[in-house]
Amino acid sequence: MTRTLALEIAVQDPAGVRIAAEVGADRVELGSALALGGLTPSPATLELAVEAAGADGPEVHVLVRPRAGGFHYEADELAVAERDVRHAIALGASGVVIGALDADGRLDLFAMARLRDAAEGAPVTLHRAIDVTADPVATLRSARELGLQRVLTSGGASAAIDGLDTLRALVAAAEGEIEIMAGSGVDATSAPALAAAGVDAIHFSAKRTVVEEGGVRMGSASDGVGGYEVTDRAIAFAIRDALGR
């Protein structure tokens, strides 16, 4: 039986969703602040993204991450994430993307179960928190036991192409019971090699940075007045075409 490789694009706005639809992506991961690794998008952004996807466009899966930094959350942060999961599903998201670790850097089974339950049966993806755990294969098994739909992973490397051995091990450990989606630093050159590793999906952002010209420079990028990132149509098509889609 021929395996169908799914495509997921990380986007930040309705324009990114529309590009994903043009490319024929199966899903988008909707977030904000991708430069920080991604944070929970606003309700209005989600509403407009769902509208942009329409009935025939890509599924909209929402990243729920209450802050930048690590993935060990205090009680208040977890409460925020739980409500964000519920709100995302209520506003039309097809699924959510989550991740929480305990104080020892292992998957926080209690927190993950709480967020999974808040999704009320919608598909749940474990994000790249798996890549900072000591044993990604063991983490995958925990995610599988929790009934999660898929994991997004670079194989523990900064770029997925450098984590091929671990990606292959994860594919074998999944045994077809949980999807393995490769992501991080994916471009038209690396995408075919990642697909050949046997993963179920490829995740990429296809982003470029826009720097406004002609305006008054008020400070550095850290002041919030630097460049910003958008989904680039040409990059997205190049990755899709490299995969023979």
Side-chain angles (χ1 to χ4, degrees), residues 105-211:
R106 295 186 294 262
L107 197 65
D108 187 331
L109 301 181
F110 169 78
M112 291 296 295
R114 180 175 169 182
L115 298 177
R116 175 205 63 197
D117 292 346
E120 299 181 340
V124 176
T125 300
L126 169 62
H127 59 48
R128 290 189 58 217
I130 188 175
D131 292 323
V132 296
T133 60
D135 188 342
V137 173
T139 303
L140 173 70
R141 294 194 181 102
S142 295
R144 178 178 169 182
E145 291 170 2
L146 284 165
L148 306 191
Q149 181 80 21
R150 67 182 63 86
V151 297
L152 168 62
T153 173
S154 65
S158 294
I161 193 62
D162 297 320
L164 281 174
D165 288 344
T166 301
L167 285 169
R168 293 187 187 102
L170 290 168
V171 169
E175 297 181 327
E177 296 295 325
I178 182 170
E179 298 173 20
I180 306 299
M181 178 164 57
S184 185
V186 176
D187 57 21
T189 301
S190 62
L194 293 169
V199 299
D200 300 286
I202 300 291
H203 168 103
F204 56 93
S205 60
K207 63 181 182 292
R208 62 179 169 87
T209 300
V210 175
V211 178

Side-chain angles (χ1 to χ4, degrees), residues 13-172:
D13 50 35
V17 175
R18 288 189 286 270
I19 291 173
E22 286 187 70
V23 170
D26 301 276
R27 295 183 299 273
V28 297
E29 179 192 272
L30 181 69
S32 64
L34 292 186
L36 299 177
L39 299 174
T40 308
S42 73
T45 300
L46 172 54
E47 287 180 325
L48 289 170
V50 170
E51 291 176 15
D56 301 321
E59 294 183 357
V60 177
H61 290 241
V62 175
L63 173 64
V64 175
R65 185 180 177 215
R67 57 157 171 79
F71 305 107
H72 176 54
Y73 298 118
E74 302 298 333
D76 285 345
E77 294 170 327
L78 185 57
V80 168
E82 180 182 16
R83 292 199 184 191
D84 279 336
V85 169
R86 295 189 186 279
H87 288 317
I89 299 304
L91 290 174
S94 296
V96 293
V97 183
I98 61 172
L101 305 181
D102 64 21
D104 297 318
R106 295 186 294 262
L107 197 65
D108 187 331
L109 301 181
F110 169 78
M112 291 296 295
R114 180 175 169 182
L115 298 177
R116 175 205 63 197
D117 292 346
E120 299 181 340
V124 176
T125 300
L126 169 62
H127 59 48
R128 290 189 58 217
I130 188 175
D131 292 323
V132 296
T133 60
D135 188 342
V137 173
T139 303
L140 173 70
R141 294 194 181 102
S142 295
R144 178 178 169 182
E145 291 170 2
L146 284 165
L148 306 191
Q149 181 80 21
R150 67 182 63 86
V151 297
L152 168 62
T153 173
S154 65
S158 294
I161 193 62
D162 297 320
L164 281 174
D165 288 344
T166 301
L167 285 169
R168 293 187 187 102
L170 290 168
V171 169

